Amino acid sequence: MTDKTDLESKAVEAPPPPPPPATTGANLFTVDVALRVLLFAAALVSVVVMSTAKQTELASVPGVPGVTVSLTAKFKHSPAFIYFVAALSVVGFYSIITSLASISVILKPNYQTLFSLLFVLGDVVALGLVASATGTAGGVAYIGLKGNSHVGWTKVCNVYDKFCRHIGSAVAVSLFGAVVLVALIFLSIFSIHRKIGK
């Protein structure tokens, strides 16, 4: 009789309550949104600073003593700087789209793994764009700063100092954007790893 009573008491017991939902995934995507907003800010500042790089100076005409002409340095005069502005504009637009997507994942966490995978792929492409644009613009800026005596390229930053400061600042901010993208890639990989490890 005691065995029957034990069985009945076990059958009457309610199942244990389900564990509370994990909020770590939502927390990771909150950090993701913050980093993507930071990426947008870096891309926007880089584009604005580069596209406003302009300086006009008087320069002497080689071979004609006493004659000076007004010359203007603009970012549009270099294909490397134009590519920089285009690439960082694309990355800025990408950061807006992925920020909205990340917010939607916080609201509906069912697709966290899928979006993490898509973010990794997109972020790697964006990092490639930022790295190539930064390297290209930085290479041209370095020649402007130091020149190249082997091929006879003279430095211009001693004349166009304000213009060169704009270029250097834009390149520095884009480097920061590249670091943010690396952090985003690691965050997405960590999110995928946590999901697969369960």
Side-chain angles (χ1 to χ4, degrees):
M1 178 145 179
T2 54
D3 291 340
K4 187 176 180 183
T5 311
D6 288 342
L7 289 174
E8 287 175 358
S9 64
K10 286 180 182 176
V12 175
E13 288 179 12
T23 58
T24 310
N27 291 340
L28 286 178
F29 275 90
T30 304
V31 174
D32 187 82
V33 170
L35 287 173
R36 291 184 188 284
V37 169
L38 199 58
L39 174 63
F40 171 74
L44 180 65
V45 169
S46 293
V47 168
V48 169
V49 172
M50 180 67 81
S51 60
T52 57
K54 179 181 177 182
Q55 186 177 358
T56 303
E57 293 293 334
L58 291 175
S60 58
V61 177
V64 184
V67 178
T68 57
V69 292
S70 177
L71 295 176
T72 302
K74 298 179 184 177
F75 88 96
K76 293 179 182 178
H77 295 158
S78 170
F81 298 154
I82 293 171
Y83 171 65
F84 180 90
V85 170
L88 269 292
S89 298
V90 169
V91 170
F93 182 68
Y94 166 78
S95 67
I96 293 172
I97 293 172
T98 53
S99 294
L100 295 174
S102 197
I103 290 169
S104 73
V105 170
I106 292 172
L107 300 175
K108 294 183 179 180
N110 298 337
Y111 300 104
Q112 284 183 2
T113 306
L114 174 63
F115 273 90
S116 294
L117 180 61
L118 293 175
F119 286 165
V120 167
L121 298 174
D123 291 344
V124 167
V125 173
L127 179 61
L129 266 177
V130 172
S132 66
T134 303
T136 303
V140 174
Y142 183 80
I143 291 172
L145 179 66
K146 298 289 186 180
N148 189 327
S149 59
H150 301 290
V151 294
W153 293 341
T154 58
K155 57 184 178 181
V156 296
C157 287
N158 56 336
V159 178
Y160 297 102
D161 54 341
K162 179 186 166 190
F163 174 77
C164 288
R165 280 196 301 273
H166 271 251
I167 301 301
S169 300
V171 169
V173 174
S174 70
L175 276 173
F176 173 73
V179 172
V180 171
L181 276 165
V182 170
L184 281 167
I185 291 168
F186 279 122
L187 186 68
S188 295
I189 291 172
F190 177 70
S191 177
I192 293 170
H193 173 71
R194 284 188 70 256
K195 285 288 182 182
I196 293 174
K198 285 183 178 180

mmCIF file of all heavy atoms in Angstrom, residues 130-170:
data_model
loop_
_atom_site.group_PDB
_atom_site.id
_atom_site.type_symbol
_atom_site.label_atom_id
_atom_site.label_comp_id
_atom_site.label_asym_id
_atom_site.label_seq_id
_atom_site.Cartn_x
_atom_site.Cartn_y
_atom_site.Cartn_z
ATOM 1 N N VAL A 130 37.105 48.858 -45.522
ATOM 2 C CA VAL A 130 37.720 49.895 -44.682
ATOM 3 C C VAL A 130 39.242 49.771 -44.710
ATOM 4 O O VAL A 130 39.953 50.780 -44.831
ATOM 5 C CB VAL A 130 37.191 49.818 -43.234
ATOM 6 C CG1 VAL A 130 37.966 50.746 -42.319
ATOM 7 C CG2 VAL A 130 35.721 50.177 -43.185
ATOM 8 N N ALA A 131 39.748 48.547 -44.609
ATOM 9 C CA ALA A 131 41.199 48.353 -44.598
ATOM 10 C C ALA A 131 41.827 48.779 -45.914
ATOM 11 O O ALA A 131 42.865 49.459 -45.929
ATOM 12 C CB ALA A 131 41.525 46.889 -44.299
ATOM 13 N N SER A 132 41.203 48.415 -47.037
ATOM 14 C CA SER A 132 41.774 48.791 -48.332
ATOM 15 C C SER A 132 41.706 50.293 -48.551
ATOM 16 O O SER A 132 42.659 50.903 -49.043
ATOM 17 C CB SER A 132 41.059 48.048 -49.466
ATOM 18 O OG SER A 132 39.707 48.460 -49.563
ATOM 19 N N ALA A 133 40.593 50.912 -48.174
ATOM 20 C CA ALA A 133 40.453 52.365 -48.346
ATOM 21 C C ALA A 133 41.422 53.118 -47.449
ATOM 22 O O ALA A 133 42.050 54.104 -47.862
ATOM 23 C CB ALA A 133 39.019 52.787 -48.045
ATOM 24 N N THR A 134 41.578 52.646 -46.207
ATOM 25 C CA THR A 134 42.493 53.300 -45.271
ATOM 26 C C THR A 134 43.939 53.152 -45.737
ATOM 27 O O THR A 134 44.717 54.110 -45.690
ATOM 28 C CB THR A 134 42.315 52.707 -43.862
ATOM 29 O OG1 THR A 134 40.955 52.862 -43.470
ATOM 30 C CG2 THR A 134 43.202 53.395 -42.854
ATOM 31 N N GLY A 135 44.298 51.965 -46.201
ATOM 32 C CA GLY A 135 45.655 51.748 -46.701
ATOM 33 C C GLY A 135 45.963 52.578 -47.936
ATOM 34 O O GLY A 135 47.046 53.164 -48.053
ATOM 35 N N THR A 136 44.993 52.659 -48.840
ATOM 36 C CA THR A 136 45.184 53.437 -50.056
ATOM 37 C C THR A 136 45.356 54.923 -49.746
ATOM 38 O O THR A 136 46.300 55.566 -50.206
ATOM 39 C CB THR A 136 43.983 53.236 -51.009
ATOM 40 O OG1 THR A 136 43.845 51.840 -51.281
ATOM 41 C CG2 THR A 136 44.166 53.980 -52.302
ATOM 42 N N ALA A 137 44.426 55.458 -48.951
ATOM 43 C CA ALA A 137 44.505 56.873 -48.590
ATOM 44 C C ALA A 137 45.735 57.156 -47.742
ATOM 45 O O ALA A 137 46.398 58.195 -47.907
ATOM 46 C CB ALA A 137 43.244 57.293 -47.845
ATOM 47 N N GLY A 138 46.068 56.239 -46.840
ATOM 48 C CA GLY A 138 47.243 56.427 -45.997
ATOM 49 C C GLY A 138 48.541 56.427 -46.794
ATOM 50 O O GLY A 138 49.462 57.194 -46.491
ATOM 51 N N GLY A 139 48.621 55.584 -47.818
ATOM 52 C CA GLY A 139 49.814 55.547 -48.670
ATOM 53 C C GLY A 139 50.026 56.854 -49.415
ATOM 54 O O GLY A 139 51.144 57.388 -49.470
ATOM 55 N N VAL A 140 48.936 57.390 -49.973
ATOM 56 C CA VAL A 140 49.029 58.668 -50.691
ATOM 57 C C VAL A 140 49.348 59.799 -49.713
ATOM 58 O O VAL A 140 50.151 60.692 -50.004
ATOM 59 C CB VAL A 140 47.726 58.955 -51.463
ATOM 60 C CG1 VAL A 140 47.749 60.344 -52.084
ATOM 61 C CG2 VAL A 140 47.517 57.902 -52.554
ATOM 62 N N ALA A 141 48.727 59.743 -48.528
ATOM 63 C CA ALA A 141 48.996 60.774 -47.517
ATOM 64 C C ALA A 141 50.450 60.735 -47.063
ATOM 65 O O ALA A 141 51.066 61.789 -46.846
ATOM 66 C CB ALA A 141 48.062 60.579 -46.321
ATOM 67 N N TYR A 142 51.017 59.549 -46.950
ATOM 68 C CA TYR A 142 52.419 59.433 -46.529
ATOM 69 C C TYR A 142 53.350 60.048 -47.569
ATOM 70 O O TYR A 142 54.336 60.716 -47.224
ATOM 71 C CB TYR A 142 52.780 57.972 -46.278
ATOM 72 C CG TYR A 142 54.188 57.790 -45.773
ATOM 73 C CD1 TYR A 142 54.486 58.003 -44.430
ATOM 74 C CD2 TYR A 142 55.222 57.426 -46.632
ATOM 75 C CE1 TYR A 142 55.785 57.857 -43.952
ATOM 76 C CE2 TYR A 142 56.518 57.282 -46.170
ATOM 77 C CZ TYR A 142 56.795 57.495 -44.831
ATOM 78 O OH TYR A 142 58.080 57.362 -44.367
ATOM 79 N N ILE A 143 53.048 59.827 -48.844
ATOM 80 C CA ILE A 143 53.864 60.441 -49.900
ATOM 81 C C ILE A 143 53.739 61.963 -49.838
ATOM 82 O O ILE A 143 54.722 62.690 -50.014
ATOM 83 C CB ILE A 143 53.456 59.903 -51.288
ATOM 84 C CG1 ILE A 143 53.871 58.437 -51.404
ATOM 85 C CG2 ILE A 143 54.088 60.732 -52.404
ATOM 86 C CD1 ILE A 143 53.363 57.744 -52.633
ATOM 87 N N GLY A 144 52.531 62.451 -49.570
ATOM 88 C CA GLY A 144 52.355 63.898 -49.416
ATOM 89 C C GLY A 144 53.120 64.453 -48.234
ATOM 90 O O GLY A 144 53.604 65.587 -48.264
ATOM 91 N N LEU A 145 53.239 63.645 -47.174
ATOM 92 C CA LEU A 145 53.937 64.093 -45.971
ATOM 93 C C LEU A 145 55.452 64.022 -46.125
ATOM 94 O O LEU A 145 56.170 64.963 -45.774
ATOM 95 C CB LEU A 145 53.495 63.245 -44.775
ATOM 96 C CG LEU A 145 54.137 63.566 -43.431
ATOM 97 C CD1 LEU A 145 53.718 64.959 -42.961
ATOM 98 C CD2 LEU A 145 53.753 62.517 -42.398
ATOM 99 N N LYS A 146 55.955 62.922 -46.667
ATOM 100 C CA LYS A 146 57.404 62.692 -46.731
ATOM 101 C C LYS A 146 57.997 62.851 -48.121
ATOM 102 O O LYS A 146 59.207 63.042 -48.259
ATOM 103 C CB LYS A 146 57.719 61.272 -46.227
ATOM 104 C CG LYS A 146 57.331 61.009 -44.789
ATOM 105 C CD LYS A 146 58.230 61.750 -43.842
ATOM 106 C CE LYS A 146 57.924 61.359 -42.395
ATOM 107 N NZ LYS A 146 58.788 62.072 -41.446
ATOM 108 N N GLY A 147 57.151 62.696 -49.169
ATOM 109 C CA GLY A 147 57.694 62.702 -50.526
ATOM 110 C C GLY A 147 58.424 61.403 -50.813
ATOM 111 O O GLY A 147 58.409 60.459 -50.005
ATOM 112 N N ASN A 148 59.054 61.331 -51.990
ATOM 113 C CA ASN A 148 59.851 60.160 -52.357
ATOM 114 C C ASN A 148 61.015 60.645 -53.213
ATOM 115 O O ASN A 148 60.852 60.932 -54.398
ATOM 116 C CB ASN A 148 58.997 59.136 -53.100
ATOM 117 C CG ASN A 148 59.709 57.815 -53.306
ATOM 118 O OD1 ASN A 148 60.924 57.767 -53.471
ATOM 119 N ND2 ASN A 148 58.950 56.735 -53.283
ATOM 120 N N SER A 149 62.167 60.736 -52.595
ATOM 121 C CA SER A 149 63.335 61.290 -53.285
ATOM 122 C C SER A 149 63.820 60.389 -54.417
ATOM 123 O O SER A 149 64.441 60.862 -55.365
ATOM 124 C CB SER A 149 64.469 61.523 -52.288
ATOM 125 O OG SER A 149 64.828 60.302 -51.657
ATOM 126 N N HIS A 150 63.521 59.087 -54.353
ATOM 127 C CA HIS A 150 63.999 58.154 -55.371
ATOM 128 C C HIS A 150 63.344 58.396 -56.723
ATOM 129 O O HIS A 150 63.963 58.179 -57.763
ATOM 130 C CB HIS A 150 63.756 56.706 -54.924
ATOM 131 C CG HIS A 150 64.437 56.361 -53.635
ATOM 132 N ND1 HIS A 150 65.800 56.231 -53.529
ATOM 133 C CD2 HIS A 150 63.941 56.138 -52.391
ATOM 134 C CE1 HIS A 150 66.119 55.929 -52.277
ATOM 135 N NE2 HIS A 150 65.006 55.868 -51.567
ATOM 136 N N VAL A 151 62.102 58.815 -56.718
ATOM 137 C CA VAL A 151 61.401 59.069 -57.989
ATOM 138 C C VAL A 151 61.139 60.558 -58.215
ATOM 139 O O VAL A 151 60.493 60.929 -59.179
ATOM 140 C CB VAL A 151 60.079 58.270 -58.060
ATOM 141 C CG1 VAL A 151 60.347 56.784 -58.104
ATOM 142 C CG2 VAL A 151 59.168 58.611 -56.902
ATOM 143 N N GLY A 152 61.616 61.381 -57.313
ATOM 144 C CA GLY A 152 61.477 62.826 -57.501
ATOM 145 C C GLY A 152 60.131 63.390 -57.082
ATOM 146 O O GLY A 152 59.776 64.497 -57.508
ATOM 147 N N TRP A 153 59.363 62.677 -56.262
ATOM 148 C CA TRP A 153 58.090 63.216 -55.770
ATOM 149 C C TRP A 153 58.378 64.083 -54.547
ATOM 150 O O TRP A 153 58.945 63.627 -53.567
ATOM 151 C CB TRP A 153 57.128 62.098 -55.385
ATOM 152 C CG TRP A 153 56.663 61.273 -56.540
ATOM 153 C CD1 TRP A 153 56.695 61.606 -57.861
ATOM 154 C CD2 TRP A 153 56.101 59.963 -56.483
ATOM 155 N NE1 TRP A 153 56.195 60.599 -58.621
ATOM 156 C CE2 TRP A 153 55.817 59.573 -57.805
ATOM 157 C CE3 TRP A 153 55.817 59.087 -55.451
ATOM 158 C CZ2 TRP A 153 55.260 58.346 -58.108
ATOM 159 C CZ3 TRP A 153 55.248 57.860 -55.752
ATOM 160 C CH2 TRP A 153 54.978 57.495 -57.069
ATOM 161 N N THR A 154 57.992 65.335 -54.632
ATOM 162 C CA THR A 154 58.245 66.229 -53.501
ATOM 163 C C THR A 154 57.090 66.170 -52.517
ATOM 164 O O THR A 154 55.949 65.909 -52.892
ATOM 165 C CB THR A 154 58.417 67.676 -53.990
ATOM 166 O OG1 THR A 154 57.237 68.074 -54.694
ATOM 167 C CG2 THR A 154 59.616 67.809 -54.908
ATOM 168 N N LYS A 155 57.410 66.440 -51.256
ATOM 169 C CA LYS A 155 56.347 66.474 -50.247
ATOM 170 C C LYS A 155 55.537 67.757 -50.419
ATOM 171 O O LYS A 155 56.054 68.779 -50.875
ATOM 172 C CB LYS A 155 56.929 66.374 -48.841
ATOM 173 C CG LYS A 155 57.934 67.443 -48.489
ATOM 174 C CD LYS A 155 58.512 67.179 -47.131
ATOM 175 C CE LYS A 155 59.562 68.231 -46.772
ATOM 176 N NZ LYS A 155 60.150 67.988 -45.467
ATOM 177 N N VAL A 156 54.253 67.683 -50.058
ATOM 178 C CA VAL A 156 53.367 68.838 -50.213
ATOM 179 C C VAL A 156 52.760 69.286 -48.887
ATOM 180 O O VAL A 156 52.161 70.352 -48.814
ATOM 181 C CB VAL A 156 52.231 68.538 -51.225
ATOM 182 C CG1 VAL A 156 52.793 68.298 -52.608
ATOM 183 C CG2 VAL A 156 51.372 67.380 -50.751
ATOM 184 N N CYS A 157 52.917 68.483 -47.844
ATOM 185 C CA CYS A 157 52.273 68.824 -46.574
ATOM 186 C C CYS A 157 52.926 70.025 -45.888
ATOM 187 O O CYS A 157 52.327 70.621 -45.001
ATOM 188 C CB CYS A 157 52.263 67.622 -45.636
ATOM 189 S SG CYS A 157 51.081 66.362 -46.142
ATOM 190 N N ASN A 158 54.144 70.383 -46.304
ATOM 191 C CA ASN A 158 54.740 71.598 -45.771
ATOM 192 C C ASN A 158 54.064 72.845 -46.347
ATOM 193 O O ASN A 158 54.126 73.921 -45.762
ATOM 194 C CB ASN A 158 56.248 71.625 -46.048
ATOM 195 C CG ASN A 158 56.559 71.481 -47.527
ATOM 196 O OD1 ASN A 158 55.755 70.933 -48.282
ATOM 197 N ND2 ASN A 158 57.717 71.946 -47.934
ATOM 198 N N VAL A 159 53.398 72.699 -47.485
ATOM 199 C CA VAL A 159 52.656 73.805 -48.109
ATOM 200 C C VAL A 159 51.172 73.706 -47.758
ATOM 201 O O VAL A 159 50.557 74.675 -47.314
ATOM 202 C CB VAL A 159 52.846 73.804 -49.645
ATOM 203 C CG1 VAL A 159 52.033 74.915 -50.292
ATOM 204 C CG2 VAL A 159 54.320 73.920 -50.006
ATOM 205 N N TYR A 160 50.588 72.527 -47.950
ATOM 206 C CA TYR A 160 49.152 72.297 -47.699
ATOM 207 C C TYR A 160 48.968 71.624 -46.334
ATOM 208 O O TYR A 160 48.509 70.487 -46.243
ATOM 209 C CB TYR A 160 48.555 71.443 -48.809
ATOM 210 C CG TYR A 160 48.607 72.094 -50.171
ATOM 211 C CD1 TYR A 160 49.575 71.720 -51.096
ATOM 212 C CD2 TYR A 160 47.704 73.084 -50.520
ATOM 213 C CE1 TYR A 160 49.632 72.313 -52.351
ATOM 214 C CE2 TYR A 160 47.753 73.692 -51.767
ATOM 215 C CZ TYR A 160 48.717 73.297 -52.673
ATOM 216 O OH TYR A 160 48.777 73.906 -53.917
ATOM 217 N N ASP A 161 49.319 72.337 -45.281
ATOM 218 C CA ASP A 161 49.297 71.743 -43.944
ATOM 219 C C ASP A 161 47.881 71.440 -43.458
ATOM 220 O O ASP A 161 47.615 70.375 -42.908
ATOM 221 C CB ASP A 161 50.029 72.643 -42.955
ATOM 222 C CG ASP A 161 49.491 74.071 -42.946
ATOM 223 O OD1 ASP A 161 48.828 74.469 -43.919
ATOM 224 O OD2 ASP A 161 49.730 74.777 -41.958
ATOM 225 N N LYS A 162 46.946 72.352 -43.664
ATOM 226 C CA LYS A 162 45.563 72.121 -43.227
ATOM 227 C C LYS A 162 44.941 70.948 -43.990
ATOM 228 O O LYS A 162 44.268 70.086 -43.405
ATOM 229 C CB LYS A 162 44.744 73.388 -43.455
ATOM 230 C CG LYS A 162 43.286 73.268 -43.070
ATOM 231 C CD LYS A 162 42.518 74.514 -43.462
ATOM 232 C CE LYS A 162 41.028 74.257 -43.395
ATOM 233 N NZ LYS A 162 40.251 75.346 -43.992
ATOM 234 N N PHE A 163 45.188 70.898 -45.282
ATOM 235 C CA PHE A 163 44.690 69.805 -46.115
ATOM 236 C C PHE A 163 45.220 68.465 -45.604
ATOM 237 O O PHE A 163 44.470 67.500 -45.455
ATOM 238 C CB PHE A 163 45.132 70.044 -47.562
ATOM 239 C CG PHE A 163 44.816 68.926 -48.510
ATOM 240 C CD1 PHE A 163 43.531 68.738 -48.990
ATOM 241 C CD2 PHE A 163 45.805 68.045 -48.932
ATOM 242 C CE1 PHE A 163 43.238 67.703 -49.872
ATOM 243 C CE2 PHE A 163 45.527 67.017 -49.801
ATOM 244 C CZ PHE A 163 44.235 66.850 -50.278
ATOM 245 N N CYS A 164 46.516 68.415 -45.300
ATOM 246 C CA CYS A 164 47.120 67.163 -44.823
ATOM 247 C C CYS A 164 46.606 66.765 -43.448
ATOM 248 O O CYS A 164 46.469 65.573 -43.163
ATOM 249 C CB CYS A 164 48.641 67.301 -44.815
ATOM 250 S SG CYS A 164 49.355 67.314 -46.470
ATOM 251 N N ARG A 165 46.310 67.749 -42.597
ATOM 252 C CA ARG A 165 45.743 67.416 -41.284
ATOM 253 C C ARG A 165 44.368 66.776 -41.438
ATOM 254 O O ARG A 165 44.031 65.837 -40.714
ATOM 255 C CB ARG A 165 45.655 68.672 -40.404
ATOM 256 C CG ARG A 165 46.962 69.066 -39.763
ATOM 257 C CD ARG A 165 46.768 70.045 -38.613
ATOM 258 N NE ARG A 165 46.102 71.278 -39.031
ATOM 259 C CZ ARG A 165 46.726 72.345 -39.516
ATOM 260 N NH1 ARG A 165 48.048 72.325 -39.675
ATOM 261 N NH2 ARG A 165 46.048 73.421 -39.847
ATOM 262 N N HIS A 166 43.565 67.285 -42.379
ATOM 263 C CA HIS A 166 42.261 66.675 -42.654
ATOM 264 C C HIS A 166 42.432 65.228 -43.103
ATOM 265 O O HIS A 166 41.723 64.328 -42.628
ATOM 266 C CB HIS A 166 41.525 67.479 -43.732
ATOM 267 C CG HIS A 166 40.700 68.582 -43.191
ATOM 268 N ND1 HIS A 166 39.329 68.549 -43.183
ATOM 269 C CD2 HIS A 166 41.038 69.767 -42.638
ATOM 270 C CE1 HIS A 166 38.856 69.660 -42.648
ATOM 271 N NE2 HIS A 166 39.882 70.417 -42.306
ATOM 272 N N ILE A 167 43.359 65.010 -44.029
ATOM 273 C CA ILE A 167 43.572 63.659 -44.563
ATOM 274 C C ILE A 167 44.033 62.716 -43.443
ATOM 275 O O ILE A 167 43.515 61.608 -43.287
ATOM 276 C CB ILE A 167 44.619 63.679 -45.704
ATOM 277 C CG1 ILE A 167 44.175 64.594 -46.842
ATOM 278 C CG2 ILE A 167 44.885 62.268 -46.216
ATOM 279 C CD1 ILE A 167 42.873 64.250 -47.485
ATOM 280 N N GLY A 168 45.009 63.175 -42.652
ATOM 281 C CA GLY A 168 45.514 62.343 -41.556
ATOM 282 C C GLY A 168 44.445 62.019 -40.531
ATOM 283 O O GLY A 168 44.363 60.886 -40.033
ATOM 284 N N SER A 169 43.603 63.003 -40.200
ATOM 285 C CA SER A 169 42.529 62.768 -39.226
ATOM 286 C C SER A 169 41.516 61.765 -39.761
ATOM 287 O O SER A 169 41.060 60.877 -39.032
ATOM 288 C CB SER A 169 41.826 64.087 -38.897
ATOM 289 O OG SER A 169 42.735 65.009 -38.346
ATOM 290 N N ALA A 170 41.143 61.896 -41.041
ATOM 291 C CA ALA A 170 40.179 60.964 -41.634
ATOM 292 C C ALA A 170 40.722 59.542 -41.641
ATOM 293 O O ALA A 170 40.001 58.584 -41.328
ATOM 294 C CB ALA A 170 39.830 61.408 -43.062
#
